[in-house]
Amino acid sequence: MTVNQQWLLARTPPEGLPLAADFEWRESAMPDPGPGQLLSRTIYLSLDPYQWGRRRGGLEQPGEICHGRTVAQVLKSNVPGYDEGDFLFNTNGWQSHGLSGEGISVFTYMFPRKLDPGVAPLSTAIGVLGMLGLTAYSGLVVQCQPKAGETVVVSAASGGVGQVVGQIAKILGCRVVGIAGREEKCAFVTNELGFDACVSHLGDDLPGALGAACPDGIDIYYENVGGKCFEAVLQYLNRNSRITRCGLISQYSNIDGRDAAEVWLEAGQAVFEKQNCGVFPLAVGKFVADHQDAFLGQMAEWLRDGKVTYLEDIRAGLENTPAAFRAMLEGGNFGKTMMQVSDDPMK
Ligand SMILES: NC(=O)c1ccc[n+]([C@@H]2O[C@H](COP(=O)([O-])OP(=O)(O)OC[C@H]3O[C@@H](n4cnc5c(N)ncnc54)[C@H](OP(=O)(O)O)[C@@H]3O)[C@@H](O)[C@H]2O)c1
């Protein structure tokens, strides 16, 4: 391929969910790596809810390439230790090819990380064996410190983060209850992931269903959603329970101008005080330096031993990225969502 295919942010999105008019397709000349840089082709592009927050919040400017973490293969390298053919976790964004290295400004926490394709499928580097898995681990294990026998509830349970949270909690001996949408997702969570129960937020009586699934109350809540899932959970929080506020996806497209985290805190404050809850906002970037290496080693072992499984929702074609992105934000995904941008030679 001689051109670089790219999605740019066309405008600061005005309101609600992503629209076609928010993005602009561009084909540009293939970049050449300068000193200290490498060129790679994108194989998998991660679609994550936080990308919408960046766009709506003005962190990404119109005319910029849409941000996104990627699995890529090196085509040309002027970086010692990185050779043609190497596989990387990097941040090419929504484009078929990208430069990494010196002078390349990307929203990332590290220089490209080389991947060993013998450890696990390459796609897992943007899922269970990457930042997403670390997000699950940091919020659950580091922040909430679960003990065997405790009840853990996780919302968006079949999604990228949720499925890992629940499986780690099971490994640690907890009773695990998921909250998810469609029946097929709830069935997957219990039958394939081994959660003890999963209730649907689409049902008529979420609080009633959650209460029945948590007869001993809730000791840990891993918050991915907010809104009515959070309201239901509040009723059952035990004394000294812990909550990690990982995400509030039900609020990302709200337009009333209020800060979603503040609204959430205000709604829970009385219960938090009464029950002496520990409440932890989560920003996964803060856990990379101290926990990433240990986490990656542990997760590779769990995957090898079959103690953790994962579901990926891999969509074909960079050109379909905006539609897949919107579908993920609406619950149209099933598992960790990513685009297959070019061939995975390990498959
Ligand atoms: N703090 C951090 O550092 C950090 C890092 C990574 C991710 N996150 C957060 O983690 C959460 C999960 O991210 P992910 O990448 O794993 O996405 P995901 O769970 O794979 O996909 C999003 C899911 O959210 C659910 N959802 C969307 N709107 C909803 C609504 N109104 N009510 C209830 N559920 C709704 C849908 O599941 P159902 O169909 O089951 O409803 C959808 O499939 C997000 O809030 C994200 O922002 C935070």
Side-chain angles (χ1 to χ4, degrees):
M1 189 183 289
T2 52
V3 296
N4 192 13
Q5 299 178 316
Q6 302 168 316
W7 280 110
L8 278 57
L9 187 67
R11 58 180 181 176
T12 298
E15 60 184 53
L17 287 160
L19 298 171
D22 296 331
F23 305 97
E24 182 191 331
W25 178 259
R26 185 173 74 180
E27 298 196 347
S28 61
M30 189 65 66
D32 224 11
Q37 297 179 349
L38 59 81
L39 172 71
S40 64
R41 75 173 170 97
T42 307
I43 300 175
Y44 297 106
L45 162 65
S46 181
L47 298 188
D48 298 276
Y50 77 86
Q51 295 169 2
W52 191 226
R54 282 173 55 80
R55 278 156 211 158
R56 292 204 62 228
L59 279 174
E60 204 166 283
Q61 288 297 309
E64 286 181 4
I65 294 160
C66 294
H67 160 86
R69 298 193 187 109
T70 46
V71 169
Q73 187 171 30
V74 178
L75 296 179
K76 284 187 200 171
S77 174
N78 297 325
V79 183
Y82 292 78
D83 298 318
E84 186 183 334
D86 282 349
F87 295 108
L88 307 173
F89 165 80
N90 64 355
T91 314
N92 277 350
W94 290 22
Q95 56 178 346
S96 61
H97 298 76
L99 294 176
S100 310
E102 283 178 23
I104 304 298
S105 165
V106 286
F107 171 69
T108 186
Y109 303 110
M110 63 206 96
F111 199 77
R113 178 163 60 83
K114 268 212 265 191
L115 301 174
D116 177 353
V119 172
L122 290 169
S123 55
T124 59
I126 48 175
V128 63
L129 203 55
M131 297 295 274
L132 208 77
L134 182 64
T135 302
Y137 177 88
S138 311
L140 178 72
V141 179
V142 183
Q143 291 189 319
C144 291
Q145 305 190 358
K147 295 190 261 309
E150 289 190 318
T151 296
V152 175
V153 171
V154 54
S155 49
S158 77
V161 172
Q163 55 180 282
V164 184
V165 170
Q167 291 182 88
I168 297 177
K170 282 304 295 177
I171 290 171
L172 298 176
C174 299
R175 174 176 169 78
V176 182
V177 176
I179 303 175
R182 300 196 304 270
E183 190 43 51
E184 153 194 42
K185 291 188 176 183
C186 293
F188 166 76
V189 164
T190 48
N191 299 342
E192 307 294 327
L193 301 180
F195 288 27
D196 297 282
C198 186
V199 299
S200 172
H201 62 78
L202 302 175
D204 292 337
D205 181 17
L206 175 59
L210 189 63
C214 303
D216 299 324
I218 297 171
D219 300 299
I220 291 175
Y221 177 46
Y222 195 105
E223 172 70 292
N224 283 320
V225 169
K228 69 180 186 184
C229 295
F230 178 53
E231 284 162 24
V233 163
L234 279 176
Q235 304 181 26
Y236 303 106
L237 286 173
N238 287 334
R239 187 130 186 93
N240 300 324
S241 49
R242 287 88 74 204
I243 302 179
T244 190
R245 194 186 66 235
C246 172
L248 299 172
I249 194 168
S250 72
Q251 308 302 311
Y252 291 167
S253 299
N254 280 356
I255 53 166
D256 69 4
R258 295 188 66 201
D259 181 77
E262 266 174 35
V263 174
W264 181 92
L265 204 56
E266 215 174 278
Q269 200 59 45
V271 175
F272 297 157
E273 279 170 20
K274 179 164 173 271
Q275 297 295 63
N276 193 37
C277 299
V279 178
F280 308 104
L282 179 67
V284 65
K286 294 189 178 156
F287 294 84
V288 171
D290 290 344
H291 296 279
Q292 178 167 264
D293 288 349
F295 163 75
L296 290 177
Q298 175 64 82
M299 183 53 81
E301 205 179 300
W302 282 334
L303 289 171
R304 203 171 45 240
D305 296 346
K307 290 189 172 163
V308 170
T309 182
Y310 57 89
L311 179 68
E312 295 170 334
D313 185 339
I314 303 180
R315 310 270 172 126
L318 184 66
E319 65 279 13
N320 299 317
T321 305
F325 183 57
R326 176 174 171 135
M328 175 200 57
L329 291 170
E330 290 182 297
N333 65 326
F334 194 174
K336 164 62 199 157
T337 311
M338 62 185 85
M339 304 307 297
Q340 177 112 41
V341 177
S342 66
D343 285 348
D344 177 347
M346 301 311 294
K347 270 198 170 167

